[in-house]
Amino acid sequence: MRTTLAIAATLIATAAHAETFTWAGNTDPQTMDPHAVNSAPVLGFLNNVYEGLVRRGKDMTIEPALATSWEPIGDGEGWRFILRQGVKFHGGQEFTAEDVIFSYERASSEQADTSSWFAPVSEVNMVDDYTVDILTTAPNPIFPDSIANWMIMDAGWAAENGAERPAKDAENYATLNANGTAAFQLVERQPGLKTVLEPFAEWWGDAEHNITRTEFTPIQNSATAVAALLSGDVDMINPVPIQDAGRIASRDGVKVIQGIEARVIMLGFPHQAAELKYGADAGQPNPFADAKVRQAVAHAVNVPAILQTIMRGNAEAASQLVSPAMRGYSSGLAERPAYDVEGAKALLAEAGYADGFSFGLKCPNDRYLNDEAVCQAITGMLAQIGLKAELDAMPVRNYWPELREDNFDMYLLGWSPGTFDAEHPIRFLASTPNEEKKLGSWNFGDYSNARVDELLPMIQSEIDDAKRQGMLDEVTQILQEETAYVPLYVQPLVWGAQENIELTQRPDDFFILRWVTVN
Amino acid sequence: MLAYIIRRVFQSLVVLLVVGLVAFSMFRFVGDPIDNMLGQERTQADVERLRTQLGLDQPFPVQYYKFLEQAVQGNFGISYRQSRPVSEIIAERAPATLELAAVSGLFALGLGIGLGVFTAIRRDGIASNLIMSLSLVGVSLPTFLIGILLIYVFSVELDWLPSFGRGETVAVGGWTTGFLTPSGLKALILPAITLGLYQMTLIMRLVRSEMLEVLRQDYIRFARARGLREKSVNFRHALKNTLVPVITVTGLQLGAIIAFAIITETVFQWPGVGLLFINAIQFVDIPVMAAYLMLISVMFVGINLIVDLLYFAIDPRLRIDGRH
């Protein structure tokens, strides 16, 4: 009997050891507060700890989480959510409609970075303990899609610990502690060092994973992260530097998992600027105001070559502002301008720039995958049609202020739609900038088209899917015809893991622990 | 003597204030912290509100004055990135850096003196020539390359030592130490070698040339002539006289080890203040950058002050000159 017990104990001990999962990312989530920061590292990590009313599945579709069902109210006045009963927070508190109301107030407060998600919301009402009505100012068909990262916090827990509001310039209990309802609970948090999660025994769902404990460590230096994976010190790393992917894939015991991200990389132009600002032709009239010149640029950039050499075949060419994985993608407009040097030269000649001109290209060097290398390649390609780009690459912390001050003749931008819907980039990149209506806040080049501006509110409130898609297609067509931006490619997603790890890679680069199995 | 000390302390304070002023005038060139603090869906109004809230809309001398006002009360503000008090974060990270610096300092001093003496005594041996040539590698290879090389050899290929981090640590009071666990000790080896290698070669070459100099002196020749044992001549008479400059250099290098741990810490993901500083630069976390720079300059100024005072105490010639 004793031997059996001892053997059983050993088995359990080894099994438990095998299921401890360690992983490394290049960024430490800066806070455990789900409403304080609207950034992918934070929201991605906290998706394992907190849950929203709805969540995204493996293929990014919306599925029930803390709400079991939802339906539009009346004629598009809002949405009614029926909440799941018997759900417990990690601290043991019961989940009710009160927590939803509290989390709405918290996430939409001025101190929260997530308040833009609730811009269309006029009122949130508690109907009973397990029913909540969210009223919107206009019909909003994609509202449930837009709140997948809105995480619910326990009202009582927040009040007890003085964390009713997120804070940026003060200490807050919720910065280091968490109390969600999701499959994993926070056990230990040492910022910048390690964060330990363990499965939550009373979670309402069925666990698909076999993890008993997980440890997250940030490793900033990519060479160190690769070494940690190869030496078996960690089970998974995200991201893998593209140039190391082949080397890792060829080693025994480790594998590379590839996919494409939601982020589209594109070139932007000054549409309203009167003059060029950089290069030998500074002070000359701005040629990029002419659609023909922008088209010439689109034809001159050899995207397949960029993908082949700089992205090592890991990325996909893009034709519009969103990737095919997004809702509202215009599948009929998937063709992008062909690489055609002669055609580009002809377009330039037509526009009156047969001899080309020189200008300044602004580029970040630490924001997107191999961003500076991509800009260098583009500089070389544009030179073939006589456009001499003066490349100025800088860290992203200097980059946004430069763009906001209109200090560019052409710039590189990546956009990942937070709602995973084609409406998102139209609102932020293609609308005429309007501070009051919160439109076009990332439209640095001041692109403006009356029809696009007219269509956006109609798209936002159209309930009928076919009609909505028709309008999205119209916008895409306008943007393509006018070459408002030159979409280049969809950024790849490359993770590395030990051979015995099964996991699911989601296009939003969120790493969801409940889909991990350790074999 | 007292007047000398007061003058030096006063000079040190001026240096500190100037360092702070230069640092604050540079921060706006590092970038704009607001962009990192707010997500892509922020509006211009959010940006302006946060800028005012953090006092970033004010000219830098005003920001500097406010920092000083708080700092003299021991309050270094709240980190933009972590939303926690900077003093708490630095106190959390300091043990990692100090332990690493101490171990690599001892490594540099011990091995540096040992090899220095060896190569001086056997100046024409094959072993010393080999050591001297290898030491050139130590001074000329950049730190991050040595670190990555060590990781690939000892973690990836041989799998003897961990590739990153501090291993398990034990908290003793408010101090986390890696000295008390096997994994903590193992984790120290590679970063300590990486960080100490340059200092080690420096000390070795210094000891060697000082030794060679001293061994030519008359009193060494007389000692030999008196029939003293070789060991006694080399270590009691020669080495002792080479140590004054060695100790001076080591003292100054200790500051450098702590300040330049940044690269080693980044390569090994060593959770010390250097890594914290790199993060702070990337995020434009001004309160953390300011506190770190002030701390490092206090340390350098402090070490220099102590060295100056020690000279004054040790070297009688300085005192006589001082009276003129």
Side-chain angles (χ1 to χ4, degrees):
Chain A
M1 184 60 195
R2 196 176 287 163
T3 6
T4 337
L5 270 183
I7 290 169
T10 336
L11 280 179
I12 291 165
T14 39
H17 177 74
E19 286 151 16
T20 292
F21 178 82
T22 52
W23 94 97
N26 60 354
T27 318
D28 193 44
Q30 63 202 71
T31 174
M32 291 290 114
D33 189 326
H35 308 136
V37 180
N38 180 5
S39 83
V42 172
L43 297 177
F45 189 88
L46 290 179
N47 250 284
N48 294 303
V49 180
Y50 284 98
E51 285 174 311
L53 295 181
V54 302
R55 68 181 186 196
R56 290 186 186 278
K58 292 179 180 177
D59 57 353
M60 300 298 293
T61 50
I62 292 291
E63 56 183 40
L66 290 182
T68 50
S69 65
W70 50 92
E71 54 183 20
I73 303 169
D75 204 14
E77 282 138 41
W79 290 82
R80 168 165 292 185
F81 290 87
I82 310 295
L83 307 184
R84 194 178 293 278
Q85 304 203 3
V87 172
K88 281 213 158 44
F89 284 95
H90 299 154
Q93 304 88 339
E94 199 81 36
F95 162 71
T96 63
E98 241 172 83
D99 301 316
V100 177
I101 304 284
F102 166 73
S103 299
Y104 161 70
E105 284 165 359
R106 191 175 196 274
S108 64
S109 65
E110 202 180 55
Q111 299 95 316
D113 196 21
T114 53
S115 54
S116 68
W117 299 340
F118 304 97
V121 174
S122 55
E123 224 178 296
V124 177
N125 298 321
M126 182 169 143
V127 178
D128 60 49
D129 267 0
Y130 293 98
T131 313
V132 172
D133 281 352
I134 299 182
L135 304 181
T136 52
T137 42
N140 195 320
I142 62 154
F143 184 71
D145 290 60
S146 68
I147 53 161
N149 287 331
W150 169 39
M151 298 177 220
I152 305 297
M153 190 185 267
D154 183 54
W157 177 80
E160 256 167 53
N161 298 301
E164 291 98 330
R165 289 288 176 272
K168 286 222 191 292
D169 56 350
E171 232 188 329
N172 191 319
Y173 188 77
T175 307
L176 286 180
N177 300 278
N179 184 27
T181 57
F184 288 86
Q185 54 182 329
L186 183 67
V187 181
E188 192 186 344
R189 166 76 176 153
Q190 295 184 36
L193 204 64
K194 68 173 177 183
T195 310
V196 181
L197 303 181
E198 277 175 12
F200 176 44
E202 289 174 77
W203 187 49
W204 54 269
D206 297 321
E208 283 176 57
H209 65 85
N210 67 345
I211 300 172
T212 53
R213 183 186 149 88
T214 79
E215 226 181 273
F216 170 81
T217 319
I219 302 183
Q220 281 144 287
N221 188 306
S222 57
T224 311
V226 171
L229 179 72
L230 294 181
S231 64
D233 289 342
V234 296
D235 292 317
M236 181 259 181
I237 59 169
N238 170 25
V240 166
I242 287 185
Q243 49 277 17
D244 289 333
R247 197 160 56 88
I248 293 177
S250 65
R251 291 258 314 208
D252 285 342
V254 286
K255 61 182 173 186
V256 167
I257 303 132
Q258 287 182 6
I260 57 166
E261 217 191 319
R263 194 180 302 279
V264 170
I265 306 292
M266 63 190 92
L267 289 174
F269 305 95
H271 292 272
Q272 311 289 341
E275 297 170 345
L276 286 173
K277 299 194 172 75
Y278 298 92
D281 291 329
Q284 298 292 321
N286 170 22
F288 294 113
D290 187 337
K292 287 206 178 77
V293 177
R294 302 196 295 267
Q295 277 164 23
V297 171
H299 284 294
V301 177
N302 187 350
V303 174
I306 292 179
L307 299 188
Q308 201 51 48
T309 54
I310 302 171
M311 294 291 153
R312 319 249 167 162
N314 287 312
E316 209 168 86
S319 59
Q320 41 199 286
L321 304 187
V322 290
S323 80
M326 301 296 113
R327 179 171 162 169
Y329 174 79
S330 304
S331 44
L333 299 163
E335 203 173 328
R336 73 175 312 284
Y339 171 55
D340 175 8
V341 173
E342 291 314 311
K345 278 183 184 162
L347 279 164
L348 274 187
E350 245 177 84
Y353 295 99
D355 299 330
F357 54 88
S358 61
F359 66 99
L361 169 61
K362 281 273 183 337
C363 188
N365 60 15
D366 59 354
R367 180 71 185 89
Y368 313 116
L369 281 177
N370 296 343
D371 39 14
E372 191 176 358
V374 168
C375 284
Q376 274 161 355
I378 290 172
T379 305
M381 290 164 181
L382 292 180
Q384 290 186 326
I385 62 165
L387 301 189
K388 288 177 275 304
E390 201 170 83
L391 176 59
D392 186 9
M394 60 187 77
V396 70
R397 55 179 188 268
N398 303 111
Y399 190 60
W400 300 137
E402 281 283 299
L403 293 193
R404 214 173 300 120
E405 309 239 304
D406 290 335
N407 290 333
F408 59 86
D409 293 326
M410 190 195 280
Y411 62 95
L412 190 81
L413 180 73
W415 193 259
S416 175
T419 54
F420 295 90
D421 189 281
E423 175 268 341
H424 194 270
I426 301 175
R427 178 161 29 120
F428 287 94
L429 305 180
S431 293
T432 308
N434 185 329
E435 183 64 33
E436 208 175 295
K437 291 187 188 161
K438 301 185 174 178
L439 293 175
S441 55
W442 289 72
N443 181 359
F444 298 114
D446 292 327
Y447 171 75
S448 178
N449 180 299
R451 180 66 183 150
V452 172
D453 290 341
E454 187 189 344
L455 281 167
L456 179 66
M458 290 157 69
I459 291 168
Q460 286 171 333
S461 59
E462 181 54 66
I463 297 277
D464 185 283
D465 248 358
K467 276 191 200 158
R468 183 172 193 272
Q469 189 61 50
M471 291 189 283
L472 285 170
D473 289 349
E474 192 183 337
V475 173
T476 305
Q477 196 163 2
I478 294 171
L479 297 181
Q480 284 184 344
E481 272 165 12
E482 299 201 338
T483 321
Y485 290 90
V486 176
L488 300 171
Y489 55 87
V490 189
Q491 185 159 284
L493 205 54
V494 191
W495 299 359
Q498 303 294 337
E499 201 71 71
N500 64 333
I501 306 292
E502 295 297 328
L503 51 80
T504 303
Q505 194 175 39
R506 228 168 60 171
D508 54 359
D509 203 10
F510 283 13
F511 177 51
I512 306 292
L513 281 167
R514 64 190 155 83
W515 295 330
V516 174
T517 26
V518 181
N519 296 321
Chain B
M1 175 80 181
L2 191 68
Y4 177 77
I5 293 176
I6 291 172
R7 202 167 61 227
R8 291 292 291 126
V9 170
F10 180 74
Q11 281 170 355
S12 306
L13 276 177
V14 172
V15 168
L16 275 183
L17 287 175
V18 171
V19 167
L21 191 70
V22 171
F24 267 82
S25 68
M26 298 296 284
F27 285 153
R28 56 208 171 119
F29 299 111
V30 178
D32 188 354
I34 308 286
D35 271 305
N36 290 315
M37 297 175 74
L38 297 173
Q40 68 176 9
E41 288 166 26
R42 86 278 181 287
T43 60
Q44 200 54 35
D46 295 334
V47 172
E48 294 310 326
R49 187 168 39 75
L50 190 59
R51 202 185 297 281
T52 319
Q53 198 183 337
L54 298 175
L56 292 171
D57 51 343
Q58 280 154 349
F60 82 85
V62 178
Q63 292 183 35
Y64 180 44
Y65 176 75
K66 286 197 171 150
F67 169 80
L68 281 181
E69 202 178 45
Q70 299 283 312
V72 290
Q73 301 169 35
N75 177 2
F76 288 93
I78 301 278
S79 155
Y80 291 171
R81 188 179 140 76
Q82 294 193 23
S83 305
R84 296 165 59 219
V86 173
S87 44
E88 196 180 301
I89 298 173
I90 288 186
E92 231 170 61
R93 297 296 193 96
T97 299
L98 293 176
E99 284 190 356
L100 177 63
V103 171
S104 52
L106 282 178
F107 157 77
L109 203 60
L111 208 60
I113 292 179
L115 290 179
V117 172
F118 177 81
T119 49
I121 296 171
R122 309 252 167 91
R123 55 185 297 193
D124 294 320
I126 296 173
S128 4
N129 277 325
L130 194 72
I131 292 170
M132 287 306 288
S133 323
L134 278 179
S135 76
L136 270 181
V137 177
V139 268
S140 48
L141 271 189
T143 313
F144 72 89
L145 207 64
I146 294 173
I148 291 288
L149 218 68
L150 289 176
I151 291 176
Y152 266 86
V153 173
F154 292 100
S155 321
V156 177
E157 296 305 331
L158 298 173
D159 204 11
W160 291 349
L161 297 167
S163 51
F164 72 94
R166 263 188 106 185
E168 259 173 82
T169 53
V170 179
V172 183
W175 184 280
T176 56
T177 177
F179 289 151
L180 300 177
T181 60
S183 76
L185 289 172
K186 270 170 97 178
L188 263 166
I189 299 173
L190 295 185
I193 292 176
T194 310
L195 183 57
L197 197 63
Y198 179 81
Q199 268 72 25
M200 194 273 277
T201 41
L202 192 75
I203 291 172
M204 181 189 112
R205 290 178 159 259
L206 190 69
V207 169
R208 179 176 179 274
S209 58
E210 287 289 326
M211 273 292 272
L212 290 177
E213 187 72 26
V214 171
L215 286 175
R216 275 200 294 270
Q217 302 282 321
D218 287 344
Y219 68 89
I220 297 292
R221 244 181 270 163
F222 283 123
R224 288 225 170 87
R226 266 172 65 198
L228 291 182
R229 277 180 301 134
E230 193 67 6
K231 206 170 164 189
S232 166
V233 173
N234 284 338
F235 290 93
R236 271 200 59 200
H237 299 276
L239 180 63
K240 223 169 155 188
N241 282 294
T242 64
L243 283 186
V244 180
V246 172
I247 286 169
T248 315
V249 169
T250 313
L252 289 176
Q253 287 292 321
L254 186 69
I257 284 187
I258 295 176
F260 300 131
I262 292 176
I263 296 165
T264 308
E265 290 188 3
T266 312
V267 171
F268 287 93
Q269 190 64 31
W270 190 264
V273 283
L275 192 63
L276 182 73
F277 182 60
I278 284 286
N279 280 338
I281 293 176
Q282 282 164 352
F283 198 83
V284 202
D285 196 341
I286 293 175
V288 172
M289 286 195 284
Y292 175 84
L293 289 174
M294 287 313 255
L295 211 69
I296 292 293
S297 45
V298 164
M299 195 184 73
F300 268 101
V301 165
I303 289 174
N304 273 303
L305 186 64
I306 290 170
V307 168
D308 277 356
L309 295 180
L310 278 181
Y311 276 164
F312 200 81
I314 291 168
D315 197 336
R317 285 169 297 183
L318 249 179
R319 263 174 292 180
I320 293 161
D321 284 347
R323 287 206 193 98
H324 282 299

